[in-house]
């Protein structure tokens, strides 16, 4: 488990705080932190055994949006509470798939899909997740955006203009809903 975020890092994040990069632009530390965060939350916390490293991260038009790790690496604790190493996890992360890559029930050949939205447990309630999604919505407001949301986050995504576009479905044992956001001005 990660250490608590330093007080200086617990301020409300804004979309301008999010960095957006192609895979080839990520530093080794940024990539490690992103994969560390996705593993910590999706595999360990949510107990989902799935192939996170699906190759989609490598597509030239996939974008990685994140709030960078603040400062030097911080102590990292394993699931037993023991300090085992260091963390460089970003406060939050999401990826934007290439135009036309249909991702699950929400996907559309004329849109771009947001996925792997995740916030460091120690950075929750800081607005970091909202900032990352907000940045992608602002940057791509002129495009149809889709996502497959965990059902409890429907209202969160609705705040950015996403609307349910189909029936509930089960993915990795978690109820999800398909959502789409028509092209138009950003809000949220």
């Amino acid at each position: 488990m990660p250490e608590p975020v330093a007080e200086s890092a617990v301020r409300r994040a804004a979309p301008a705080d999010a960095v957006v990069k192609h895979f080839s632009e990520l530093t080794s530390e940024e990539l490690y932190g992103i994969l560390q965060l996705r593993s910590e939350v999706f595999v360990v916390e949510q107990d989902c055994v799935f192939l996170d490293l699906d190759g989609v991260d490598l597509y030239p038009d996939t974008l990685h949006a994140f709030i960078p790790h603040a400062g030097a690496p911080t102590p990292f604790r394993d699931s037993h509470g023991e300090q085992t190493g260091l963390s460089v996890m970003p406060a939050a992360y999401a990826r934007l798939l290439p135009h036309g890559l249909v991702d699950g029930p929400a996907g559309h050949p004329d849109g771009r899909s947001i996925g792997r939205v995740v916030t460091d447990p120690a950075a929750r309630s800081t607005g970091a997740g909202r900032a990352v999604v907000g940045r992608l919505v602002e940057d791509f407001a002129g495009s149809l955006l889709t996502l497959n949301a965990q059902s409890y986050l429907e209202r969160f995504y609705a705040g950015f203009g996403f609307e349910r576009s189909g029936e509930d479905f089960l993915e990795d044992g978690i109820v999800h809903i398909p959502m789409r956001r028509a092209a138009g001005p950003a809000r949220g």
Side-chain angles (χ1 to χ4, degrees), residues 126-140:
T126 65
R130 180 175 300 282
V132 168
V133 173
R135 173 69 189 268
L136 291 175
V137 169
E138 284 179 7
D139 287 0
F140 294 91

Side-chain angles (χ1 to χ4, degrees), residues 19-27 30 60 62-66:
V19 173
V20 180
K21 293 184 175 186
H22 292 95
F23 183 85
S24 63
E25 299 170 315
L26 295 170
T27 67
E30 289 168 339
T62 295
L63 293 174
H64 302 271
F66 57 99

Side-chain angles (χ1 to χ4, degrees), residues 106-132:
H108 192 281
D110 293 329
R112 292 190 79 164
S113 184
I114 297 173
R116 300 291 201 273
V117 180
V118 60
T119 300
D120 178 344
R124 291 183 181 149
S125 298
T126 65
R130 180 175 300 282
V132 168

Side-chain angles (χ1 to χ4, degrees), residues 95 97 101-108 113-116 146-148 171:
R95 73 179 182 186
L97 303 185
L101 180 63
V102 177
D103 181 38
H108 192 281
S113 184
I114 297 173
R116 300 291 201 273
T146 68
L147 54 82
N148 296 297
E171 183 172 13

Side-chain angles (χ1 to χ4, degrees), residues 12-180:
R12 297 300 294 176
D17 296 327
V19 173
V20 180
K21 293 184 175 186
H22 292 95
F23 183 85
S24 63
E25 299 170 315
L26 295 170
T27 67
S28 57
E29 188 170 285
E30 289 168 339
L31 176 59
Y32 188 90
I34 288 166
L35 297 177
Q36 191 176 34
L37 176 59
R38 286 171 24 179
S39 179
E40 166 79 14
V41 174
F42 297 137
V43 178
V44 177
E45 180 182 305
Q46 295 181 353
D47 196 24
C48 294
V49 178
F50 75 109
L51 186 59
D52 180 37
L53 302 180
D54 57 7
V56 176
D57 294 317
L58 300 171
Y59 287 145
D61 291 334
T62 295
L63 293 174
H64 302 271
F66 57 99
I67 304 291
H69 182 84
T74 53
F76 185 83
R77 297 196 180 278
D78 67 15
S79 58
H80 304 287
E82 299 296 321
Q83 183 177 336
T84 57
L86 299 173
S87 172
V88 289
M89 293 190 295
Y93 167 84
R95 73 179 182 186
L96 183 69
L97 303 185
H99 182 269
L101 180 63
V102 177
D103 181 38
H108 192 281
D110 293 329
R112 292 190 79 164
S113 184
I114 297 173
R116 300 291 201 273
V117 180
V118 60
T119 300
D120 178 344
R124 291 183 181 149
S125 298
T126 65
R130 180 175 300 282
V132 168
V133 173
R135 173 69 189 268
L136 291 175
V137 169
E138 284 179 7
D139 287 0
F140 294 91
S143 301
L144 168 66
L145 295 174
T146 68
L147 54 82
N148 296 297
Q150 291 184 12
S151 62
Y152 78 95
L153 292 168
E154 183 174 6
R155 289 185 60 197
F156 171 77
Y157 291 116
F160 295 99
F162 285 89
E163 297 177 349
R164 177 187 282 266
S165 61
E167 298 299 317
D168 292 7
F169 65 97
L170 204 58
E171 183 172 13
D172 298 315
I174 300 171
V175 178
H176 284 68
I177 57 169
M179 301 186 80
R180 290 187 184 157

